[in-house]
Amino acid sequence: DVKVTQSSRYLVKRTGEKVFLECVQDMDHENMFWYRQDPGLGLRLIYFSYDVKMKEKGDIPEGYSVSREKKERFSLILESASTNQTSMYLCASSLWFRRVSEAFFGQGTRLTVV
Amino acid sequence: GQQVMQIPQYQHVQEGEDFTTYCNSSTTLSNIQWYKQRPGGHPVFLIQLVKSGEVKKQKRLTFQFGEAKKNSSLHITATQTTDVGTYFCAGANAGGTSYGKLTFGQGTILTVHP
């Protein structure tokens, strides 16, 4: 079974803090994604990585950065957390063999910025 | 960039009634995927459609991919309380080197009244 593990289920941070959300997958997938989920807005792509050290901006990258130093790990960084970044963050991974394949999601991190 | 719109946002049905959600993309898709998210859970892959005009069935669920590969639908026959959740479509752009980047719709929240 593919497993995508996010480091925290719930997180409370203060405005202005630097926040790290970690995601690890155990199936040697090339692709990893960070989405945020807000009511009525669905899943919005923040960043996407298709290989180690390779990344691509999604639809809402402002205020975020990412790091992928190893294939299995994809980190989302909030440089200076703000209250409008309070949300559910979902990490996902998928296999890429020159065709699109299903995404496997982690359990999500509910981040509250106060 | 690519936009994927999904309607309706909410659907309330009586158990036994049918349910349909629709997905429309602003660009031609290479494929479309459907996911289900149970309350409190994370999205779980249901199916992928690749061919123009493709129709696939999973028990009471019927998935269609439009001829122009810009729209899709999910139809549930005779809903059950176990169908409750949010249904998302996700599309990948045709052509280019998107490496499998998925753009999700806003989701349809299905409530089934017993």
Side-chain angles (χ1 to χ4, degrees):
Chain A
D1 255 6
V2 176
K3 199 163 183 185
V4 179
T5 304
Q6 295 183 229
S7 52
S8 306
R9 193 75 195 264
Y10 300 94
L11 213 50
V12 180
K13 295 291 181 181
R14 294 194 180 278
T15 301
E17 273 193 82
K18 190 168 185 175
V19 181
F20 294 85
L21 302 183
E22 308 285 347
C23 176
V24 177
Q25 50 96 2
D26 66 358
M27 278 301 290
D28 204 34
H29 284 173
E30 288 82 6
N31 292 347
M32 295 190 76
F33 310 79
W34 275 107
Y35 292 92
R36 72 177 269 180
Q37 183 172 18
D38 300 287
L41 298 177
L43 300 171
R44 293 181 291 167
L45 182 64
I46 305 171
Y47 266 99
F48 163 58
S49 169
Y50 51 92
D51 202 350
V52 175
K53 296 189 189 293
M54 305 304 287
K55 62 187 179 187
E56 194 174 302
K57 290 182 180 178
D59 299 316
I60 51 165
E62 297 77 20
Y64 303 94
S65 62
V66 290
S67 170
R68 193 163 179 203
E69 296 296 319
K70 293 185 177 181
K71 192 174 185 180
E72 68 271 17
R73 187 179 296 270
F74 192 33
S75 303
L76 179 69
I77 303 151
L78 285 66
E79 299 292 341
S80 177
S82 64
T83 54
N84 62 13
Q85 292 178 311
T86 291
S87 186
M88 170 68 84
Y89 290 88
L90 287 161
C91 174
S93 73
S94 69
L95 185 65
W96 171 251
F97 197 67
R98 300 195 179 278
R99 67 179 186 89
V100 181
S101 60
E102 67 179 281
F104 294 85
F105 283 83
Q107 76 276 28
T109 296
R110 185 165 293 283
L111 172 68
T112 302
V113 183
V114 297
Chain B
Q2 177 186 326
Q3 290 190 332
V4 177
M5 308 297 290
Q6 196 174 345
I7 56 169
Q9 188 174 350
Y10 301 94
Q11 187 74 58
H12 305 273
V13 299
Q14 288 293 132
E15 190 171 19
E17 291 181 341
D18 291 358
F19 159 76
T20 305
T21 175
Y22 300 91
C23 188
N24 290 286
S25 170
S26 58
T27 59
T28 302
L29 301 170
S30 60
N31 70 357
I32 193 126
Q33 298 179 354
W34 286 91
Y35 292 77
K36 178 183 179 181
Q37 183 177 26
R38 294 183 186 275
H42 57 271
V44 174
F45 176 82
L46 292 175
I47 207 160
Q48 175 167 278
L49 305 173
V50 179
K51 298 176 184 174
S52 169
E54 189 170 13
V55 178
K56 284 190 176 180
K57 292 192 175 187
Q58 287 180 350
K59 296 183 181 177
R60 295 177 294 105
L61 279 61
T62 302
F63 304 85
Q64 292 190 344
F65 199 10
E67 294 290 341
K69 300 184 78 173
K70 294 180 78 171
N71 61 285
S72 181
S73 65
L74 158 59
H75 179 83
I76 302 178
T77 304
T79 55
Q80 300 174 359
T81 53
T82 53
D83 295 326
V84 163
T86 304
Y87 292 85
F88 291 100
C89 63
N93 251 343
T97 53
S98 63
Y99 298 101
K101 185 167 80 172
L102 288 172
T103 300
F104 279 76
Q106 298 92 327
T108 296
I109 300 171
L110 174 63
T111 305
V112 180
H113 300 284

